[in-house]
Amino acid sequence: MLIFRQLFDPQSSTYTYLLADGRAQEAVLIDPVFELVRRDAALVSELGLRLAWTLETHVHADHVTGAWLLKQRLGSRIALGAASGADGADRYFVHGDRIEFGHRHLEVRETPGHTHGCVTYVLDDQSMAFTGDCLLIRGSGRTDFQQGDAHAMYRSVHSQILTLPQACLLYPAHDYRGLTVTSVAEERRFNPRLGGEIGERDFVGYMQNLGLPHPKKLDVAVPANLFCGRPAVDRDSLAEPTWAPLTYTFAGVWEIQAAALEEVAGSVQLVDVREPDEFNGPLGRIHGAKLIPLGALAQRVGELDRDRPVVTVCRSGGRSAQGAVILERAGFTNVANLAGGMLRWRAEGNPVEGAGD
Ligand SMILES: N[C@@H](CCC(=O)N[C@@H](CS)C(=O)NCC(=O)O)C(=O)O
Ligand SMILES: [Fe+2]
């Protein structure tokens, strides 16, 4: 069973792709983004997968790759094209290499043009290909920096991508209009730069006149990506919280387990976001919890100490997850949701107050 997820970074309009063999539970991530490593790691973990490899389609100019950070956190290995010129990878691909994950594999095709080291990853059954910034949906990557070469791109697209089966789905590294996927047949017919009878000279003329501004992050992204995303100085922007053992969920919320809350209960503020009748009802409440119903939380954040961590709680962990989001939006930095709420707290035999009063 193939697991496939298309993930999006709204900052740089980058697509990250998760592919996994569901039976072997082994995954690869294509083009992860540094700032979204937590999200990607959460998805890998929630799907019960082991991340074997992060694969770059090229040295990106517009965002820093998450490859290095994922290697630190999950032990994944880093791979990209040998012609990329990047240091710090565990494997450098040449044309025809295979990257295995479980019983599936991707084939590496060199598709230079946007950069020297661009590669396209083709799934074993040729049902999908990941074209990086070579072929974009109804477009192509730019060729005006980083060894860009419109002649090379034309040949890459025509010899390596549009020769795949007509039904092969093509997934690019970016789309700036919200389009998500295309196919070989569609691009052969409708790509305005590369489709139909358009020849190499037509394409080169088109590419010389794109007139795009340089990516905003170019000066930061390229040097960092030449080291596979290892920061030059330690960045603490993605530092993990240390006040309690927490889990980051793909839903975007930090969670604390009941057992961990017991350990830190004395030092955190516990906010119960249920309604008063529930707070005083048969499920009881946790010792020291302060009642602020979810609907009133945004207005009453002033009642909480911003310098101490906050744990939100409700009946089952659903409303309190929203409570955690509200507090983060209000500028609280150390916030976690009690996983499973009062139901799990009680099921695990933890003490409650007020039950049955
Ligand atoms: N405005 C974007 C520009 C991004 C950009 O130039 N993207 C490259 C890929 S790294 C590209 O080929 N873009 C093609 C296009 O914009 O049509 C930014 O600042 O990041
Ligand atoms: Fe790019």
Side-chain angles (χ1 to χ4, degrees):
M1 179 194 49
L2 184 78
I3 295 172
F4 171 62
R5 296 286 185 279
Q6 182 174 31
L7 304 162
F8 185 61
D9 170 27
Q11 294 299 320
S12 63
S13 299
T14 300
Y15 287 121
T16 297
Y17 299 99
L18 176 75
L19 280 168
D21 178 337
R23 255 181 305 162
Q25 296 180 310
E26 195 166 64
V28 298
L29 263 180
I30 300 175
D31 289 336
V33 172
F34 189 90
E35 287 79 5
L36 295 175
V37 155
R38 232 177 229 160
R39 173 198 70 180
D40 299 355
L43 181 60
V44 166
S45 150
E46 289 177 15
L47 297 181
L49 302 170
R50 186 180 77 79
L51 186 63
W53 293 95
T54 57
L55 310 175
E56 302 297 315
T57 54
H58 63 293
V59 169
H60 301 279
D62 60 332
H63 67 273
V64 176
T65 171
W68 176 86
L69 195 54
L70 282 160
K71 181 174 177 167
Q72 310 309 303
R73 300 222 174 149
L74 304 184
S76 45
R77 283 168 294 167
I78 301 173
L80 79 175
S84 63
D87 282 326
D90 298 287
R91 187 170 165 193
Y92 293 94
F93 295 129
V94 294
H95 194 82
D97 279 349
R98 276 180 174 204
I99 184 88
E100 319 261 343
F101 55 101
H103 305 291
R104 306 298 301 258
H105 71 265
L106 289 163
E107 172 202 335
V108 176
R109 295 191 175 194
E110 288 174 351
T111 48
H114 176 63
T115 72
H116 272 341
C118 285
V119 298
T120 289
Y121 297 106
V122 181
L123 190 61
D124 43 22
D125 59 4
Q126 300 198 334
S127 61
M128 297 181 184
F130 301 89
T131 56
D133 288 347
C134 185
L135 188 72
L136 303 183
I137 301 170
R138 305 295 192 272
S140 69
R142 61 198 291 173
T143 52
D144 56 340
F145 57 67
Q146 275 189 304
Q147 325 102 28
D149 178 343
H151 294 277
M153 180 174 278
Y154 185 90
R155 289 171 205 156
S156 293
V157 168
H158 282 274
S159 66
Q160 302 302 329
I161 298 173
L162 296 182
T163 48
L164 286 162
Q166 299 271 357
C168 179
L169 295 176
L170 302 177
Y171 290 95
H174 295 290
D175 189 89
Y176 301 99
R177 295 182 294 157
L179 310 174
T180 52
V181 59
T182 185
S183 69
V184 169
E186 272 178 69
E187 293 306 313
R188 281 174 76 152
R189 269 189 78 189
F190 299 116
N191 189 299
R193 309 180 187 181
L194 289 151
E197 296 303 312
I198 296 174
E200 186 171 321
R201 281 188 56 189
D202 303 321
F203 178 67
V204 171
Y206 192 122
M207 296 307 284
Q208 278 164 351
N209 293 291
L210 281 185
L212 294 170
H214 274 188
K216 292 184 285 296
K217 284 200 183 168
L218 182 83
D219 297 339
V220 176
V222 172
N225 290 332
L226 284 169
F227 288 97
C228 293
R230 191 182 73 204
V233 284
D234 267 354
R235 300 197 208 181
D236 59 7
S237 61
L238 282 186
E240 295 295 285
T242 51
W243 57 273
L246 303 180
T247 310
Y248 188 74
T249 65
F250 188 53
V253 176
W254 287 103
E255 277 189 351
I256 185 167
Q257 300 300 323
L261 176 58
E262 258 198 317
E263 308 262 305
V264 295
S267 59
V268 304
Q269 308 170 81
L270 197 57
V271 177
D272 193 319
V273 302
R274 292 176 297 168
E275 298 302 315
D277 62 324
E278 297 175 273
F279 188 75
N280 297 311
L283 275 184
R285 55 185 175 259
I286 300 173
H287 175 73
K290 178 180 174 65
L291 173 67
I292 309 183
L294 186 62
L297 187 57
Q299 289 84 51
R300 291 178 56 188
V301 288
E303 295 173 29
L304 299 170
D305 178 356
R306 288 179 179 270
D307 298 327
R308 280 167 61 211
V310 186
V311 173
T312 55
V313 56
C314 69
R315 177 177 170 276
S316 64
R319 281 173 287 169
S320 53
Q322 183 57 20
V325 171
I326 289 170
L327 291 175
E328 275 174 4
R329 276 201 210 123
F332 286 75
T333 42
N334 290 326
V335 184
N337 177 34
L338 178 65
M342 289 304 297
L343 292 176
R344 198 177 303 162
W345 175 265
R346 284 180 60 121
E348 290 180 5
N350 294 299
V352 295
E353 285 183 352
D357 285 1

